[in-house]
Every structure is written in structure tokens, then in C-alpha cells.
Amino acid sequence: MPETVFSARGLTKVYRTGEVEIHALRGVDLDLYAGEFVVLLGPSGSGKSTLLNVLGGLDVPSAGRVRYRDHDLSTADEESLTRFRREHVGFVFQFYNLIPSLTARENVEVVTEIAEHPLPAAQALAMVGLGDRLDAFPAQLSGGQQQRVAIARAIAKQPEVLLCDEPTGALDSETGVRVLEALSDVNQRLGTTTVVITHNAGIAAMAHRVIHLQDGRIVGVEVNPQRRAAGEISW
Amino acid sequence: MRSLNRKLLRDLWHVRSQVLAIVLVMGSGIATYLMSVATLDSLTATRARFYREYAFADVFATAKRAPLAVGAEITAIPGVAAVDLTVQAPMRIRLEGFADPVRGLLISLPDEGSKPLNRLYLRAGRMPQPWAQQELVLGEAFATAHGIAPGGRLTAVVAGRMQDFEVVGIAISPEYVYQIQPGAAFPDFERYAVAWIGRRALEAAFGMDGAFNSVALSLAPGTPPARVIERLDPILEPWGGLGAIAREDQLSHKFLSAEFGQLKTMATVFPVVFLSVAAFLLNVVFGRLIATQRDQIAILKAFGYGNGAIGRHYAAMAGIVVGLGALAGIAGGAWLGHLLGRLYMSFYRFPWLDFVLAPASVASAVAITLLAALSGAAFALLRAARLPPAEAMRPEAPPRYRATTLEHWLPRRWLDQPTRMILRQLSRRPLKALATVLGIALASGVLTIGLFQEDALNYMVDQQFALAQRNDLSVSFVEPRGRDALAEIAAIPGVLAVEGTRSVGVRLRAGPRSVLVHLDGLPAGSRMKRVLDTRNRPRVLPTGGLLLTEYLARILDVRRGDGVEVEQLQGARRHFELPVDGTVQEFIGINAYMELDALNRALGEGERVSHALLLVDPRQTNAIYHELEDRPGVASVGSRKAAIDNFYQTMAESLLIFTFIATLLAGLIAFGVLYNTARIALGERGRELASLRVLGFTRGEVAYILIGELALLTLAAIPVGWLVGAALARVIVAGLQSELYRVPAYLSTQTFASTTLVILLAALASALIVVWRVRHLDLVEVLKTRE
Ligand SMILES: Nc1ncnc2c1ncn2[C@@H]1O[C@H](COP(=O)(O)OP(=O)(O)OP(=O)(O)O)[C@@H](O)[C@H]1O
Ligand SMILES: [Mg+2]
């Protein structure tokens, strides 16, 4: 039995915009295991990003508990959440969110400089196939290249957890595959617990487990008996 | 954190033009502060050293004629350290090729040994030989004004006798650092001279053998001057003593102190204005920067950078801007300080200038700026720190716009879509619009106080010479004379009218307060010398009471109807009490007035006049002047035209420099504010405008949206700027009040026009840059990037 990394019980998140209350999560129970590759599927607005944000310590739940190993994230203050993110989590976002004034290498270094056991920035970029574009500024890279820089940035710190919110959302099939290959490569080589949000059911084939979200609830969990390699996926 | 530092520098470089604008405004603030402080410190230090090394006295007194033996009595007063008994004689100077009347003061030097007090600093040449009769040391101000060097010759008339002197030395005295003729409002280096000759020579010329008429004392440390004056006055009274004064009231010292006070005001008002504008600009620029970097901040937070690290990152950015501003300001301040120091040195006669730029002043300037900058950036920094990391991953919600009230009032067809966009943009951020308006208004205010000085001085001259004092020449008699003296003058060809006045030195007392002033008796219905009320209307002279200069009434704390004790300091030395009849508006000096006959009755010396005021045929002014000058019994002759000429000559240069600096700085502020407003509008709305261009709007139409906003803000700021200018002028004026002069808070239409013009030019320059930017707006680039 693999070690439990994340454990969530009765997670609820309510957004208040003016008079309206939006229930983004309505009682989510979830366990994630070390080294697992998990895909989160669900329609738009189902609460995927919200769940990911809570797991990554970017946001706190309105009710319920969420633990990362021996850290209680639901009651942590901002400072300890910051420390948690710094020490354990790597993020990849849909819109890359690179710092435009820094080169590819520097974008990675921003993160490795505050990490404990980072990979050299050049090595991380080489892992995503960008070893030859170290000194390019984001504006000089294509969307897929930018997303790979973002992945390099996330993996360079060698995090225990990698949280990816639609990392291939803005990419064509071929580039998307390269990004996914990079992710699964890291998952295998470093044993990083990886959660990937996607709208693309095809990607689900490469996961250990697929979790379906709908209307703020988990409506189903499948375990893939036979994982497919990223290269075999296309859309 | 090295990559973060790199980001910092690159980000700053990206907004370099805006940073430059802030640096310039901030630098101007620090520069004006350091300039004023350095000048003030330098002048204060220079004055202190000069006073110390050249033994400037603590107490001064004059008498009509006192035997030298009285000196022993004075030396015996407890607390007196040293005594300098001198003879001082008024003189007139004849210079080849200079037609205007020149007056002067001749002061005795010991024939052997050196002066115990108020020693001379010899700039050139030498001191007179012991017992020399015809050797004279000339004050530097006059010597420079006429280009007189040692070896030159000079003819002086002392007590009616003409005498030739050789100028053997050029000197500076701590008594005449601010060399000004008593009673004048402005120094006149060309027409007033101070000179020193051997005592025996002066005694002989002035009939003062074995006597003195002026005494200076230095006091033992810690002795209050008032205590010594109390003892000194009775000693000199039998000898025509006019009441001793302490150093604070010594003419040159008093003027210096008044001008130092002016510098102090400048050292506060200007930097406050500049730094608040700089703080505002920082706020705007950093607010904008942080708004565009929301997602970057979020990503840094997501990867574990804490609020502290992010706060420090942006604070460091502000810090660099402040550092640059401080560097520019310190360099500029030192340069301007030297410039201003030199300018002041042409007014003040110091032997040297000890330039002081105290590290403490520099440190406090930088600290104040840093504070202003951080308070300016604080709001933006706080926003950055507060940004929840999850929130930042979403693009900023579209700003909320509303239709403005104005749109409901105006017919639809008056407002095209771009105009609507302008109005809605302004109404969405009313605070920001207001701050921009205030920033521009402050620039206009700075300009106003630069120009206002000239207005105020013009107004003072106008009031003094066109309304109050309308005689062409004035004659002062050695002794009060009977009316027949006026008839004699009236008989001179070319003299059109003569009026006699009586001026007597008095001490006015009201309760515990007392002031030494001249009480002037003016003929009822005088055409030449009029006293004016606050609206510049002539006042009727009271026969049973006093009119006081408004400022004098304030010093004495008396109102109409209150009694004032009058103590005559010359002649019969009568004491009497008179009620205050009212106040008059005068900007120069402080005086008391009453009707001539009433004054003469009160003094009980018969019908006497001490001055004659003349209207003359302008073609004969010079001839009449020389005719009068040579008459026995005439102490001096003054010319109104010469006084006005001098005023403009002396003041013009310094005004020009001051106005130039103020205009430059104000232009900088105005440009800084307007340019930043325009740039930020362009940055915030680049996408929107690019979209409009894609939809087929022309560059002109797109530029109009930006420039229209700028134009509206500028137009709104102009009247506010007038108000700010008037308010700042009032603040300055309040800091300039002294017994010597009060500057009226008068602003001319021309000043308002000039400030408006400068603001419009700065707006135009910003607009042109924006137009240039819009022309080069890269549509693809703008639309591709995600904000
Ligand atoms: N800050 C917020 N304020 C208000 N409502 C929010 C906020 N963030 C998310 N929501 C709402 O919560 C619900 C869940 O949002 P979430 O972003 O988790 O959806 P998602 O599953 O990631 O959707 P998508 O696939 O479109 O990204 C949605 O209805 C959304 O509108
Ligand atoms: Mg989402």
C-alpha cells in the first residue's frame, strides 16, 4: 500500500460574489498516494481548479479538512502555506504565467534559487527539450515552448507534488504530447505525485487514476489497469 | 534572489521614461531643499565666522556729540567687554561721469592701532597711514559698483566742505554686510557708499574734536543686551542719545536675518510641493506596474515567495527610483547651492563664503524622500502583498464603467463614442483624476511662486513711488528748519512745488511693548507724500492722533482708540500720549504719521520742518539736485527716479535667475505629471485602443481618446492651479514679514497667463509623445500579449 500524500475530508468551498453564493466544492473526500499520476476530469465550472488550488495551498477551504502528510492545510496561516508551497509543490498553469522580463533560464532560476534541492536550470530545461533556448525571453518562444518552460520551472525544484491546471489547454496535439511526456517522465524518474487537470479525456489514459468531478462533487474514480504512454495519445 | 533582481532592473528599464520623470521631479525636490539648506547653512556659517573673527559688536548707539570721556562711563557698565567710540559723518560723493546723487557714511578709524570692534577685512590695498589726512578706505560694494580700485581718487563733501581723498584700500565690514542706506528698502550699491578715514581727519572735517557720535559695544558672554542698554541710554541721553539697539536691530544684521528667514521658507515650501508630487507619481506608476504584474506576483507566491519577499522586491524598485532621484537631487542641490551662494554674495558683502553642505541635510533629504516615495508606493505594495495567490491566476475582472451624468445632460449627438469613452474613463477613477489635477495644479503653483516675487515687488514699487511718495526730489536738513527754508528752495528755478515735513525719532510704547520709529508730520492735504489705507486710498491725517503702519500696530498690539506713549528722542525730548487714529498700508519699513502742525505743537519747538519734498521740472532735475547738494544746512538729497532705477537694476538679475529656476522646475513637474498620466493611460488601454485600430479607427481618432482625457484634466487643473498658486504665495508672504518690509500677496494677470502657458506647453509635449507612441502601436504585439 503506497503512502498517502494528500487526504481531504468533506472539502467545501463557497465563493461569495455580492449576494450570490457559489458552491465550487460541495464535500470532497479524496486521498492521493505518493508517486501517483492522477487526472482530474470534469465539465467547466465543476470545481477542478478550486480543488487543485486548495491542495496546492493557494487557497483555503470554507469547510472540511485537507492534510498534506503531517501538515494540516485547512487551518494553516498564510506563512505556513507559503512555506508548504516553497518546500513541496510545483505548479503548471494553463496560461504559462512566465515572467516576461526574464529569460527561460532565469524564469526557472527564480524558483530554484529558493528551493532546497533544485536541479540546475539548464538541466530542467533540457528535460523538456529546451536545452538550446536557455536565453530566450518568453516573447520569443511559442506557446508550447512557453508551457514547457513553465513545466521546467515546476520540476526544477524537484517537488514532491506537481499540480498542473490544463497544461495542454492552449496547445496543439503534437506539442501537447511533448508536454505530457515531460510530465510523465518526471513522474517516473523522480516519483513526483502528479495531478493534471484536463478537458481531454484522451489524456486520462496515461493516468494511474482518473477522478471525475461534477458540480463540486467527486462522481467517480477509475483506476487504469493499463496505462498508456503519452506518445500513444493524440487529439 | 539574483533572477528577481534582474527582473527588477529590467522592469524598471521597461518603464524608464516614467522613472525618469519621477526621478526628475524627486530630484528637483531634493535639489531645492538642499539648495536652500546649503545656502542657508553656508551663509549662516559665513556670517558667524565673519562676526567672530572681525568682532561684530553686540550693542550699537548714536549720540549727537558726546565727549570722549563719556567712554569711561560706558566701559564701566557691568557686562561690557569692549567699547568702540567712533565719529560717523554723512557725506556726499562726487564721481566723474555719474550724475545721480550719491550719499554715504564716513566712519572714523583709530589713527594708531586697530579698531577694537567691527574690524575691517581688507579686500585690496592697505589701511591708511597713521595720522594720514587724505587716505580713505572704501567699502567694497560701492567700489565694485563703480570699478574703483586702490589708487583711485574720490571727492567727498563732508559738513559742506569739499575734500579730495585717495582710495588706499577696499574693505568689508561686519556692520555693512548688507549695505543699505537707513530708511531704504533695497540696497543701492551705486548710490550709497560707506568709507573709513583716520579719526583726526574726520574730527577736523566734522567738527568733532575730542568727541564721538557713535558707539559700539561687545558684551561679556551671557550678558543680556537689554540690561546694558538700560544703563547705556541714560549715559548718552544728555549728549543727544537716540536710544541704543541690540544686534538684532542693527540694520545690516536685521536684513540678513530677514533674508535667511526667506530662505528657510523656501527650504520648506518647495520640497514639500515637489515631494508630494513625486509621491503621487510613484503611486500612479507603481500602482500600474503592480496591476500589470498580477500574474507574475501570483506565480512567485505559488512557488513559495512570501509576502515579505514580494513586498521587498517592489520596495527595492521604489528604492532604486528614490536613489536615482536622490543622486540627481544631491548633484543638482550642490550645483544650485553654489549658484545661489554666488548670487547672494553679490548682494551681501562677506569676505568669503564657507560653503556648507551638511551630511545631515543630505541624509534628511534622502530620508524625507524615501518616506514620501514609500508612502506613495505603499498602497500599491500593499495591494501586491494582499493579492491572494489563487485569485491572481485569473485575469483581472473587466473594470466597471457607468454612463456618466454628463452624458444624460448633453444631447446624444454631441457625444461620439470616443468622447463617451473619455468621460467614462475619468468618472471610473475619480480619485486618480483628482490627484492628477492636483499634481498639475501644484506644478502651476510652483511656477506662480516663482513669478509672483516680481509681481509683488512691482506692486510694492508702484504703491511706494506712484501712490504714496510722489515727489521728484527730497531734501533732508541737518537740523530742523523754519518755514523760510522752504521758500528758499521754492525760489530755485525749475522747482514747481515744495512741501515741508517733519520727521522725528521717537520711542513708541504700548504696555510692555516698545518700538523705535520715526514719527512723520505731513502737511494736511499733501500732494507729494500720502498715506494710504488697505485699498490704496489716501487717508486724512489726524490732528489729535497717530496713524501707524499696519505691521507696527500689530507689533504694539494696538487698535484704533488705544493710547500710545510717545517719547521724543531728539531735541526737547518730550513725552506725550496720543490715541491711535488708524492704520495705513505700507510694505516698506514701519512708521507713525500725524498732521505736521499737530506734531509741531506736540513737540513745542515752533513751526519746524526737517525735510522738503519737491516737484521739479524734469529737464532740470540734475541742475536742481546739484544746486541743493551744495547748500549749507542740507544733509542729503534723494531722487525718486534714481531709487526706482536702482531697484530694478539690483533686483532684475536675481529675479531672472529665480524665475528661471522656478519655471524650469515647474515645467518639470507639470511634464512629469502629465506625461505619466498619458503613458499610463496608453499602457492601461493599449489593448482597447489597438482593438479600435483593428476595427478601423484611425490613429488620430485613437489618439484623441487619450489626448482628450489629458486635455480635460489639464483644463480642469488650470483654475485649481491658480488657487494653489495664490495659496502658496500667501504661505511665502507670511514667512517674509518683518519690520523691514512686508511682501504683498499680489499676483498679476500676466503671472496667471504665464503659468497657464507653461502648463499648456507641458501638456502639449506629453500629448505629442503619446501621439508618437500611438503611431507606433504594434497591433499584433498588443493583441497577442495577455495582460
Ligand atoms: N474567485 C471566485 N469568485 C467567485 N466564484 C468563483 C471564483 N473562483 C471560482 N468560482 C466559481 O466556482 C466554480 C468552480 O470554479 P473552478 O474554477 O474550480 O472550475 P473548473 O472546474 O476549474 O472550470 P474550468 O474547467 O472552466 O476551468 C465556478 O462556478 C466558478 O465560477
Ligand atoms: Mg479551471
mmCIF file of all heavy atoms in Angstrom, chain B residues 526-554:
data_model
loop_
_atom_site.group_PDB
_atom_site.id
_atom_site.type_symbol
_atom_site.label_atom_id
_atom_site.label_comp_id
_atom_site.label_asym_id
_atom_site.label_seq_id
_atom_site.Cartn_x
_atom_site.Cartn_y
_atom_site.Cartn_z
ATOM 1 N N SER B 526 -1.374 116.951 1.690
ATOM 2 C CA SER B 526 -0.124 116.896 0.929
ATOM 3 C C SER B 526 -0.346 116.258 -0.431
ATOM 4 O O SER B 526 -1.067 115.272 -0.551
ATOM 5 C CB SER B 526 0.924 116.085 1.704
ATOM 6 O OG SER B 526 2.010 115.769 0.859
ATOM 7 N N ARG B 527 0.284 116.817 -1.440
ATOM 8 C CA ARG B 527 0.146 116.237 -2.773
ATOM 9 C C ARG B 527 1.270 115.248 -3.018
ATOM 10 O O ARG B 527 1.210 114.471 -3.962
ATOM 11 C CB ARG B 527 0.208 117.344 -3.835
ATOM 12 C CG ARG B 527 -1.012 118.228 -3.833
ATOM 13 C CD ARG B 527 -0.695 119.553 -4.497
ATOM 14 N NE ARG B 527 -0.175 119.377 -5.860
ATOM 15 C CZ ARG B 527 0.564 120.281 -6.495
ATOM 16 N NH1 ARG B 527 0.905 121.398 -5.889
ATOM 17 N NH2 ARG B 527 0.985 120.055 -7.719
ATOM 18 N N MET B 528 2.335 115.356 -2.248
ATOM 19 C CA MET B 528 3.518 114.556 -2.576
ATOM 20 C C MET B 528 3.679 113.316 -1.711
ATOM 21 O O MET B 528 4.118 112.286 -2.175
ATOM 22 C CB MET B 528 4.755 115.426 -2.460
ATOM 23 C CG MET B 528 4.692 116.571 -3.456
ATOM 24 S SD MET B 528 6.229 117.423 -3.518
ATOM 25 C CE MET B 528 5.677 119.111 -3.531
ATOM 26 N N LYS B 529 3.404 113.413 -0.470
ATOM 27 C CA LYS B 529 3.539 112.234 0.391
ATOM 28 C C LYS B 529 2.172 111.919 0.965
ATOM 29 O O LYS B 529 1.598 112.735 1.716
ATOM 30 C CB LYS B 529 4.558 112.527 1.502
ATOM 31 C CG LYS B 529 4.624 111.484 2.591
ATOM 32 C CD LYS B 529 5.385 110.246 2.180
ATOM 33 C CE LYS B 529 5.198 109.175 3.254
ATOM 34 N NZ LYS B 529 5.653 107.872 2.838
ATOM 35 N N ARG B 530 1.648 110.801 0.606
ATOM 36 C CA ARG B 530 0.323 110.447 1.080
ATOM 37 C C ARG B 530 0.388 109.117 1.815
ATOM 38 O O ARG B 530 1.206 108.257 1.488
ATOM 39 C CB ARG B 530 -0.635 110.326 -0.100
ATOM 40 C CG ARG B 530 -0.609 111.545 -0.995
ATOM 41 C CD ARG B 530 -1.698 111.506 -1.997
ATOM 42 N NE ARG B 530 -1.608 110.340 -2.864
ATOM 43 C CZ ARG B 530 -2.467 110.114 -3.841
ATOM 44 N NH1 ARG B 530 -3.497 110.928 -4.039
ATOM 45 N NH2 ARG B 530 -2.330 109.063 -4.598
ATOM 46 N N VAL B 531 -0.442 108.988 2.802
ATOM 47 C CA VAL B 531 -0.538 107.690 3.458
ATOM 48 C C VAL B 531 -1.820 107.033 2.973
ATOM 49 O O VAL B 531 -2.841 107.675 2.792
ATOM 50 C CB VAL B 531 -0.519 107.817 5.001
ATOM 51 C CG1 VAL B 531 0.867 108.196 5.460
ATOM 52 C CG2 VAL B 531 -1.539 108.813 5.486
ATOM 53 N N LEU B 532 -1.750 105.728 2.758
ATOM 54 C CA LEU B 532 -2.822 105.019 2.076
ATOM 55 C C LEU B 532 -3.438 103.966 2.980
ATOM 56 O O LEU B 532 -2.745 103.360 3.801
ATOM 57 C CB LEU B 532 -2.263 104.318 0.831
ATOM 58 C CG LEU B 532 -1.466 105.210 -0.117
ATOM 59 C CD1 LEU B 532 -0.738 104.364 -1.144
ATOM 60 C CD2 LEU B 532 -2.383 106.218 -0.792
ATOM 61 N N ASP B 533 -4.724 103.761 2.798
ATOM 62 C CA ASP B 533 -5.350 102.670 3.550
ATOM 63 C C ASP B 533 -5.199 101.373 2.761
ATOM 64 O O ASP B 533 -4.545 101.338 1.720
ATOM 65 C CB ASP B 533 -6.815 102.997 3.870
ATOM 66 C CG ASP B 533 -7.663 103.069 2.620
ATOM 67 O OD1 ASP B 533 -7.165 102.661 1.537
ATOM 68 O OD2 ASP B 533 -8.803 103.543 2.708
ATOM 69 N N THR B 534 -5.795 100.298 3.253
ATOM 70 C CA THR B 534 -5.552 98.987 2.644
ATOM 71 C C THR B 534 -6.048 98.931 1.198
ATOM 72 O O THR B 534 -5.674 98.035 0.455
ATOM 73 C CB THR B 534 -6.250 97.875 3.441
ATOM 74 O OG1 THR B 534 -7.555 98.327 3.750
ATOM 75 C CG2 THR B 534 -5.487 97.568 4.704
ATOM 76 N N ARG B 535 -6.937 99.871 0.834
ATOM 77 C CA ARG B 535 -7.373 99.852 -0.565
ATOM 78 C C ARG B 535 -6.662 100.921 -1.376
ATOM 79 O O ARG B 535 -7.153 101.335 -2.431
ATOM 80 C CB ARG B 535 -8.874 100.099 -0.627
ATOM 81 C CG ARG B 535 -9.673 98.924 -0.135
ATOM 82 C CD ARG B 535 -11.076 99.232 -0.446
ATOM 83 N NE ARG B 535 -11.998 98.241 -0.003
ATOM 84 C CZ ARG B 535 -13.289 98.499 0.067
ATOM 85 N NH1 ARG B 535 -13.730 99.705 -0.237
ATOM 86 N NH2 ARG B 535 -14.112 97.570 0.450
ATOM 87 N N ASN B 536 -5.530 101.378 -0.859
ATOM 88 C CA ASN B 536 -4.727 102.381 -1.542
ATOM 89 C C ASN B 536 -5.440 103.727 -1.713
ATOM 90 O O ASN B 536 -5.144 104.468 -2.634
ATOM 91 C CB ASN B 536 -4.257 101.879 -2.913
ATOM 92 C CG ASN B 536 -3.110 100.897 -2.764
ATOM 93 O OD1 ASN B 536 -2.397 100.937 -1.755
ATOM 94 N ND2 ASN B 536 -2.935 100.020 -3.740
ATOM 95 N N ARG B 537 -6.385 104.025 -0.842
ATOM 96 C CA ARG B 537 -6.993 105.353 -0.869
ATOM 97 C C ARG B 537 -6.266 106.233 0.137
ATOM 98 O O ARG B 537 -5.923 105.790 1.226
ATOM 99 C CB ARG B 537 -8.481 105.270 -0.496
ATOM 100 C CG ARG B 537 -9.310 104.603 -1.573
ATOM 101 C CD ARG B 537 -10.700 104.373 -1.084
ATOM 102 N NE ARG B 537 -10.665 103.713 0.239
ATOM 103 C CZ ARG B 537 -11.697 103.066 0.748
ATOM 104 N NH1 ARG B 537 -12.826 102.985 0.086
ATOM 105 N NH2 ARG B 537 -11.608 102.500 1.934
ATOM 106 N N PRO B 538 -6.009 107.519 -0.244
ATOM 107 C CA PRO B 538 -5.308 108.413 0.689
ATOM 108 C C PRO B 538 -6.115 108.587 1.967
ATOM 109 O O PRO B 538 -7.336 108.667 1.926
ATOM 110 C CB PRO B 538 -5.224 109.728 -0.083
ATOM 111 C CG PRO B 538 -5.497 109.391 -1.494
ATOM 112 C CD PRO B 538 -6.330 108.155 -1.516
ATOM 113 N N ARG B 539 -5.413 108.653 3.068
ATOM 114 C CA ARG B 539 -6.094 108.847 4.342
ATOM 115 C C ARG B 539 -5.925 110.279 4.799
ATOM 116 O O ARG B 539 -4.895 110.895 4.592
ATOM 117 C CB ARG B 539 -5.485 107.918 5.399
ATOM 118 C CG ARG B 539 -6.064 106.534 5.340
ATOM 119 C CD ARG B 539 -6.148 105.956 6.701
ATOM 120 N NE ARG B 539 -6.871 106.831 7.637
ATOM 121 C CZ ARG B 539 -7.474 106.382 8.709
ATOM 122 N NH1 ARG B 539 -7.472 105.102 8.985
ATOM 123 N NH2 ARG B 539 -8.085 107.208 9.533
ATOM 124 N N VAL B 540 -6.936 110.780 5.472
ATOM 125 C CA VAL B 540 -6.835 112.121 6.054
ATOM 126 C C VAL B 540 -5.943 112.015 7.288
ATOM 127 O O VAL B 540 -6.066 111.089 8.082
ATOM 128 C CB VAL B 540 -8.236 112.627 6.458
ATOM 129 C CG1 VAL B 540 -8.123 113.988 7.121
ATOM 130 C CG2 VAL B 540 -9.125 112.681 5.227
ATOM 131 N N LEU B 541 -5.008 112.988 7.400
ATOM 132 C CA LEU B 541 -4.088 112.933 8.530
ATOM 133 C C LEU B 541 -4.767 113.407 9.803
ATOM 134 O O LEU B 541 -5.413 114.447 9.815
ATOM 135 C CB LEU B 541 -2.876 113.810 8.238
ATOM 136 C CG LEU B 541 -1.962 113.234 7.159
ATOM 137 C CD1 LEU B 541 -1.143 114.318 6.519
ATOM 138 C CD2 LEU B 541 -1.082 112.159 7.768
ATOM 139 N N PRO B 542 -4.620 112.679 10.865
ATOM 140 C CA PRO B 542 -5.270 113.085 12.112
ATOM 141 C C PRO B 542 -4.501 114.228 12.776
ATOM 142 O O PRO B 542 -3.278 114.332 12.630
ATOM 143 C CB PRO B 542 -5.192 111.820 12.959
ATOM 144 C CG PRO B 542 -4.003 111.090 12.440
ATOM 145 C CD PRO B 542 -3.874 111.431 10.995
ATOM 146 N N THR B 543 -5.219 115.085 13.470
ATOM 147 C CA THR B 543 -4.543 116.168 14.193
ATOM 148 C C THR B 543 -4.385 115.795 15.662
ATOM 149 O O THR B 543 -3.507 116.295 16.343
ATOM 150 C CB THR B 543 -5.337 117.480 14.091
ATOM 151 O OG1 THR B 543 -6.683 117.198 14.477
ATOM 152 C CG2 THR B 543 -5.299 118.017 12.684
ATOM 153 N N GLY B 544 -5.251 114.918 16.138
ATOM 154 C CA GLY B 544 -5.159 114.591 17.561
ATOM 155 C C GLY B 544 -4.782 113.142 17.795
ATOM 156 O O GLY B 544 -5.027 112.591 18.873
ATOM 157 N N GLY B 545 -4.187 112.474 16.796
ATOM 158 C CA GLY B 545 -3.857 111.060 16.984
ATOM 159 C C GLY B 545 -2.815 110.613 15.976
ATOM 160 O O GLY B 545 -2.293 111.413 15.211
ATOM 161 N N LEU B 546 -2.512 109.331 16.033
ATOM 162 C CA LEU B 546 -1.449 108.771 15.201
ATOM 163 C C LEU B 546 -2.018 107.811 14.171
ATOM 164 O O LEU B 546 -2.983 107.092 14.449
ATOM 165 C CB LEU B 546 -0.474 107.961 16.066
ATOM 166 C CG LEU B 546 0.407 108.691 17.059
ATOM 167 C CD1 LEU B 546 1.158 107.670 17.892
ATOM 168 C CD2 LEU B 546 1.371 109.610 16.340
ATOM 169 N N LEU B 547 -1.386 107.803 12.998
ATOM 170 C CA LEU B 547 -1.614 106.717 12.060
ATOM 171 C C LEU B 547 -0.384 105.816 12.121
ATOM 172 O O LEU B 547 0.735 106.305 12.099
ATOM 173 C CB LEU B 547 -1.763 107.255 10.635
ATOM 174 C CG LEU B 547 -3.054 107.981 10.298
ATOM 175 C CD1 LEU B 547 -2.992 108.503 8.874
ATOM 176 C CD2 LEU B 547 -4.239 107.024 10.448
ATOM 177 N N LEU B 548 -0.608 104.530 12.216
ATOM 178 C CA LEU B 548 0.524 103.615 12.310
ATOM 179 C C LEU B 548 0.523 102.663 11.111
ATOM 180 O O LEU B 548 -0.543 102.269 10.625
ATOM 181 C CB LEU B 548 0.436 102.756 13.579
ATOM 182 C CG LEU B 548 0.346 103.489 14.909
ATOM 183 C CD1 LEU B 548 0.232 102.476 16.046
ATOM 184 C CD2 LEU B 548 1.564 104.377 15.122
ATOM 185 N N THR B 549 1.719 102.316 10.660
ATOM 186 C CA THR B 549 1.812 101.237 9.691
ATOM 187 C C THR B 549 1.142 100.018 10.306
ATOM 188 O O THR B 549 1.331 99.748 11.490
ATOM 189 C CB THR B 549 3.289 100.890 9.411
ATOM 190 O OG1 THR B 549 3.974 102.088 9.098
ATOM 191 C CG2 THR B 549 3.422 99.900 8.276
ATOM 192 N N GLU B 550 0.360 99.338 9.488
ATOM 193 C CA GLU B 550 -0.412 98.208 9.990
ATOM 194 C C GLU B 550 0.472 97.236 10.793
ATOM 195 O O GLU B 550 0.087 96.757 11.859
ATOM 196 C CB GLU B 550 -1.006 97.488 8.793
ATOM 197 C CG GLU B 550 -2.247 96.722 9.117
ATOM 198 C CD GLU B 550 -2.698 95.925 7.907
ATOM 199 O OE1 GLU B 550 -2.100 96.058 6.822
ATOM 200 O OE2 GLU B 550 -3.652 95.156 8.070
ATOM 201 N N TYR B 551 1.649 96.947 10.244
ATOM 202 C CA TYR B 551 2.533 95.995 10.915
ATOM 203 C C TYR B 551 3.002 96.533 12.257
ATOM 204 O O TYR B 551 3.136 95.781 13.227
ATOM 205 C CB TYR B 551 3.737 95.694 10.012
ATOM 206 C CG TYR B 551 4.551 94.499 10.464
ATOM 207 C CD1 TYR B 551 4.063 93.207 10.303
ATOM 208 C CD2 TYR B 551 5.803 94.668 11.047
ATOM 209 C CE1 TYR B 551 4.796 92.116 10.703
ATOM 210 C CE2 TYR B 551 6.547 93.581 11.455
ATOM 211 C CZ TYR B 551 6.037 92.297 11.289
ATOM 212 O OH TYR B 551 6.775 91.216 11.691
ATOM 213 N N LEU B 552 3.208 97.868 12.337
ATOM 214 C CA LEU B 552 3.619 98.494 13.601
ATOM 215 C C LEU B 552 2.506 98.356 14.643
ATOM 216 O O LEU B 552 2.758 98.047 15.813
ATOM 217 C CB LEU B 552 3.953 99.972 13.354
ATOM 218 C CG LEU B 552 4.265 100.821 14.579
ATOM 219 C CD1 LEU B 552 5.431 100.242 15.370
ATOM 220 C CD2 LEU B 552 4.574 102.261 14.166
ATOM 221 N N ALA B 553 1.269 98.569 14.173
ATOM 222 C CA ALA B 553 0.145 98.419 15.095
ATOM 223 C C ALA B 553 0.086 97.002 15.638
ATOM 224 O O ALA B 553 -0.252 96.772 16.803
ATOM 225 C CB ALA B 553 -1.158 98.768 14.376
ATOM 226 N N ARG B 554 0.448 96.060 14.772
ATOM 227 C CA ARG B 554 0.431 94.671 15.222
ATOM 228 C C ARG B 554 1.533 94.410 16.250
ATOM 229 O O ARG B 554 1.325 93.704 17.227
ATOM 230 C CB ARG B 554 0.598 93.727 14.029
ATOM 231 C CG ARG B 554 -0.718 93.071 13.649
ATOM 232 C CD ARG B 554 -0.494 91.943 12.688
ATOM 233 N NE ARG B 554 -0.235 92.450 11.342
ATOM 234 C CZ ARG B 554 0.329 91.722 10.382
ATOM 235 N NH1 ARG B 554 0.716 90.491 10.638
ATOM 236 N NH2 ARG B 554 0.527 92.225 9.183
#
